[in-house]
Amino acid sequence: MCGIFGITDNKDAARLAYVGLFTLQHRGQESAGIVTDDHGALLPYTGMGLVNEVFDNGVLGELEGRNAVGHIRYSTTGSSHIKNAQPLVLNSCLGNVAVAHNGNITNADAIKAKLQKDGAIFQSSSDSEVILHLAARHKGRSLEDTLARNLPKLSGAYAFLFMTPGKVIGARDPYGYRPLVLGRLGRSYILASETCAIEVAGGSVVREIEPGEMAVIAGGKIKFKRFAPVKRFTRCIFEQVYFARPDSVAVGRSVQTARYEIGARLAGELKDVKADLVSGVPDSGTVYALGYAKESGIPYQNVFMRNHYTGRSFIQPDQKLREFTAHLKLAPIRDVIKGKTIILIDDSLVRGTTSRQIVKNLKRAGAGKIVMAIASPAIVSPCYFGIDTPTKGELIANQLSLERIRRFIGADALHYLSLESLVEACGDRRDRNFCVSCFTGKYMEKP
Ligand code: AMP
């Protein structure tokens, strides 16, 4: 996952890009970058870490120009290194072009190998650079024309922002796996991963960029260009489940509303389960638990004190430290949980490590029984389209039966939401479906 944000024709372009990226921070914490267009010179600034660690007033002051494109990265393809921080800026026969990408291009390695054989030199190990190399070899009359010829050669998922002097272009893959929304702020246009970023920057949402569509903004005007037919609108459902911020709207449905309804549907699926209280694993589990409480009549309670100041420095690969971090981040509230039967909701179970740790901490702190309710179906297959899920072998639901997963996480009962409830609650429509490959193992195209 990554977040992208672009703004045009604004004297505060860099600062508004900062606001947009700051709002999208939940989509990636590894690196952040902004490129501005200062009278035709593209000024890039990228760094490792959170948006407010990378940028300060001084840096933002130096990023002059009325157009800006920004990116925050959550590494999927390519290693965690500053050279993979985006936006990437390349100087070629296309002139100076910057690119910011959210998604995963599944045929990037094959394209890259071919281009390298022909002499191309790549400056990063991320998959996002291939489109610029392709474009440099197959030029059209304008950048949009060039992109329209070359984007259809890519497979997989992408929401792109491109910038050249005087122009910003947004493009979304023909399935619409990854989100891209258009907004307006006075005379400025905004392109962003989520509606929340447009609104926090002070703008209003216009519409989603359609799958296979490009938005070209130049000279204060916007043009739309279709570069591929919509294959079948299959937006990633994991955005609704986990990634998107609840105050965003996706495919016409508020994420908060969808999650509340998912919680209610979970309650419907578990109507025979008696419990003293229902709670969610903060932050993503909370809305689900509220929906569950409303539907079931079981009182909602916070069972954890969440410490918001843990930061990322504690996220270490070492198992002992990871356990310690879990405790540091979520401390059980003993008085609330003592001897109680608790329905505990989390958005998903991937490897099972989070649930296992949390159940252990709650029990150690005196909880009675724990019914673990997962607000999505079992993840049985990896994502090839930009969500950082591990290989099949590491996905617990691919390896163990429901009963063995329950035992592994130490809960007294375990329930996954049905796929049917999930897609209905997310607002699945005939023309606008969701990609649910991670739950079914069936992919729209062979990855
Ligand atoms: P796990 O501990 O491996 O079972 O992962 C599940 C937990 O990680 C849940 O609490 C989710 O909120 C969170 N989660 C799920 N998918 C992702 C992802 N792609 N990146 C980071 N966290 C995730």
Side-chain angles (χ1 to χ4, degrees):
M1 295 307 302
C2 294
I4 53 179
F5 186 93
I7 183 158
T8 63
D9 307 294
N10 198 294
K11 67 177 177 32
D12 295 318
R15 283 177 204 282
L16 287 165
Y18 175 93
V19 170
L21 295 182
F22 190 76
T23 309
L24 296 172
Q25 187 77 79
H26 57 283
R27 301 181 65 87
Q29 294 94 39
E30 189 176 282
S31 67
I34 295 175
V35 180
T36 53
D37 172 1
D38 185 13
H39 300 94
L42 300 192
L43 307 178
Y45 191 91
T46 53
M48 300 303 283
L50 301 175
V51 177
N52 66 359
E53 292 167 346
V54 173
F55 295 98
D56 58 23
N57 243 328
V59 171
L60 290 172
E62 280 169 26
L63 289 172
E64 290 190 24
R66 295 177 65 83
N67 287 356
V69 163
H71 183 271
I72 42 164
R73 179 172 160 85
Y74 182 127
S75 83
T76 45
T77 307
S79 55
S80 174
H81 193 277
I82 184 69
K83 73 178 191 311
N84 287 328
Q86 294 190 17
L88 291 168
V89 182
L90 245 64
N91 194 344
S92 69
C93 59
L94 302 166
N96 269 328
V97 191
V99 62
H101 171 216
N102 172 205
N104 189 38
I105 296 167
T106 50
N107 61 345
D109 286 347
I111 297 175
K112 198 168 167 177
K114 197 155 172 267
L115 291 171
Q116 278 172 328
K117 225 170 130 204
D118 293 345
I121 297 169
F122 281 76
Q123 66 180 41
S124 75
S125 65
S126 90
D127 59 335
S128 314
E129 205 181 329
V130 293
I131 182 62
L132 294 185
H133 283 270
L134 271 180
R137 263 145 218 262
H138 304 277
K139 264 183 77 176
R141 277 169 289 131
S142 59
L143 181 63
E144 54 272 32
D145 193 27
T146 300
L147 291 172
R149 285 175 189 212
N150 289 287
L151 287 169
K153 296 176 188 162
L154 305 182
S155 303
Y158 53 85
F160 275 124
L161 291 181
F162 298 96
M163 181 197 249
T164 49
K167 199 178 270 182
V168 170
I169 298 178
R172 194 170 178 194
D173 73 70
Y175 288 103
Y177 287 115
R178 297 282 144 237
L180 189 61
V181 199
L182 175 70
R184 198 89 220 247
L185 170 63
R187 303 172 78 154
S188 306
Y189 287 100
I190 297 175
L191 287 163
S193 297
E194 287 186 42
T195 62
C196 65
I198 295 172
E199 284 172 346
V200 173
S204 49
V205 176
V206 178
R207 68 167 174 89
E208 291 203 18
I209 300 302
E210 289 292 306
E213 186 186 42
M214 216 188 285
V216 185
I217 307 161
K221 296 205 166 56
I222 191 161
K223 274 187 321 189
F224 298 98
K225 188 177 168 85
R226 177 151 287 291
F227 62 89
V230 185
K231 291 206 175 157
R232 183 174 157 189
F233 197 150
T234 43
R235 192 185 195 277
C236 166
I237 206 160
F238 216 67
E239 288 271 346
Q240 239 85 350
V241 169
Y242 174 70
F243 265 103
R245 248 175 56 150
D247 55 336
S248 283
V249 173
V251 198
R253 185 114 223 247
S254 146
V255 174
Q256 170 93 2
T257 306
R259 290 188 187 164
Y260 195 83
E261 189 178 326
I262 288 171
R265 282 175 184 259
L266 257 179
E269 293 182 4
L270 283 170
K271 57 176 177 305
D272 299 329
V273 174
K274 306 269 176 287
D276 300 306
L277 53 99
V278 53
S279 196
V281 178
D283 291 318
S284 52
T286 308
V287 184
Y288 296 116
L290 288 167
Y292 193 112
K294 172 84 173 36
E295 179 68 19
S296 64
I298 298 172
Y300 171 86
Q301 266 280 16
N302 280 336
V303 298
F304 294 110
M305 177 61 219
R306 160 121 202 228
N307 189 326
H308 284 274
Y309 311 103
T310 47
R312 288 181 336 125
S313 48
F314 274 101
I315 302 171
Q316 304 281 348
D318 175 77
Q319 184 62 20
K320 260 229 141 70
L321 259 176
R322 221 177 310 178
E323 285 181 17
F324 182 56
T325 308
H327 215 113
L328 198 72
K329 197 167 148 190
L330 297 176
I333 305 173
R334 286 175 188 272
D335 196 47
V336 171
I337 63 175
K338 199 165 170 221
K340 299 278 167 51
T341 296
I342 303 165
I343 296 170
L344 184 67
I345 307 182
D346 201 359
D347 59 86
S348 60
L349 209 103
V350 183
R351 293 181 178 87
T353 40
T354 308
S355 295
R356 181 182 165 95
Q357 192 56 44
I358 281 172
V359 170
K360 194 159 130 193
N361 287 354
L362 284 175
K363 291 222 161 172
R364 211 186 268 160
K369 289 196 171 143
I370 295 181
V371 177
M372 195 76 209
I374 305 296
S376 55
I379 299 178
V380 293
S381 216
C383 177
Y384 299 102
F385 308 111
I387 298 277
D388 184 26
T389 40
T391 56
K392 263 193 171 169
E394 290 169 279
L395 291 168
I396 193 166
N398 191 271
Q399 300 295 311
L400 303 181
S401 65
L402 186 69
E403 171 55 18
R404 288 188 61 198
I405 300 172
R406 180 196 70 73
R407 268 191 267 152
F408 175 80
I409 65 173
D412 298 277
L414 169 66
H415 179 81
Y416 286 102
L417 182 77
S418 68
L419 185 57
E420 197 186 16
S421 288
L422 177 65
V423 293
E424 279 174 16
C426 288
D428 199 50
R429 292 192 345 220
R430 206 197 258 237
D431 58 334
R432 307 205 147 198
N433 309 99
F434 289 94
C435 174
V436 293
S437 308
C438 53
F439 305 124
T440 61
K442 293 191 190 114
Y443 298 89
M444 297 302 297
E445 269 176 3
K446 214 165 165 255

